[in-house]
Amino acid sequence: METVTSVREMKARSRAWRKQGLSVGLVPTMGFLHRGHGSLVERSVAENARTAVSVFVNPAQFGPGEDLDAYPRDPGRDAAYLKSLGANVLFMPAPSEMYPPGFATFVEAPELGRRLCGSSRPGHFRGVCTVVLKLLNAASPDRAYFGLKDAQQFFVLRRMARDLDLDASLVPCETVREEDGLAMSSRNSYLTPAERAAAPLLRKALAGAEGYLKGGGRDAARACGIVKETLASEPLFELDYAEAVSTSDLVPLSVIDRETLVAAAVRLGRARLIDNVIFDPSPSGPARKRRGGA
Ligand code: PAF
């Protein structure tokens, strides 16, 4: 596995692969990799002749007072893990490479990016869209892989890809969980033992809503009520939101009559945890529709 630090080099690698007729997969990450990232890389390696993985803690998606400086980093361990998974290139640009002096152009999907996490993290999805577009330009992949723990991120990026006629297909991948149900996240490393013990309740709360929907319930307020009531039973949790929205535009629903994202965010000590379930009341089901990617 080669490590590449400049956009120019990344473009050259991708161009050379394409000249040989090889398909390219990209897995964008912020590093401190865990098995969730590993599953994206494994899928890319299985579906493409070449896989590039970016590790870049993107300053543009962190707000003032957020954890940019504290964000966990371990580039040596990440490189060893990626090599063991069969990635071909580790793209690890410096912030000055991605945002050189004078950088002034940003991309955003304002409607979708203001909802859910966007309301407590203003500007976050603008930073995500901008960096992902730059990473897609650098690696020119056929496919780019994203985990569905960050479902809003996937739906915002899918809209960007559609609106800007991007060539890459964006592939949503199922959330990977710890044995007790907690969605894997680099930020779980912030949790104290007591917080870590409480954390799986977020998944349980969402599973309660999913059970209600699978049992035929279609009242969005009731589904969200189940989540909120469960979360309220844990004093360490501070609720940010629990909402049921349409996956196409992230607009809140009152009746669940289309593919729906039930998403929640809580603050737990230094961490902010997010998780979700995606439910489709139509007979064809959710996974089949999403598998089509962008
Ligand atoms: O999901 C992440 O790790 C980041 O938001 C991403 C997509 C790598 C952009 O910085």
Side-chain angles (χ1 to χ4, degrees), residues 44 47 61 112 131 178 215 218 231 234 241 250 264 272 281 287:
S44 176
E47 294 180 353
Q61 70 189 74
L112 283 74
V131 82
E178 305 285 358
R218 292 291 178 267
L231 295 177
E234 174 48 69
Y241 67 79
L250 304 184
R272 182 173 175 282

Side-chain angles (χ1 to χ4, degrees), residues 7 12 25 41 43 100 152 162 223 248 251 262 284:
V7 171
V41 177
R43 183 152 173 200
Q152 181 179 12
R162 188 186 304 161
S248 62
V251 170
V262 184
S284 58

Side-chain angles (χ1 to χ4, degrees), residues 28-30 37 56 58 61 128 131-132 135 146 150 153 157:
T29 82
M30 297 208 300
H37 297 112
F56 179 63
N58 173 34
Q61 70 189 74
V128 170
V131 82
V132 169
L135 293 168
F146 298 89
D150 299 295
Q153 170 171 276
L157 292 171

Side-chain angles (χ1 to χ4, degrees), residues 91-113:
F91 178 41
M92 209 161 42
S96 57
E97 174 70 12
M98 296 299 273
Y99 301 109
F103 185 92
T105 305
F106 290 84
V107 185
E108 63 185 322
E111 284 304 318
L112 283 74

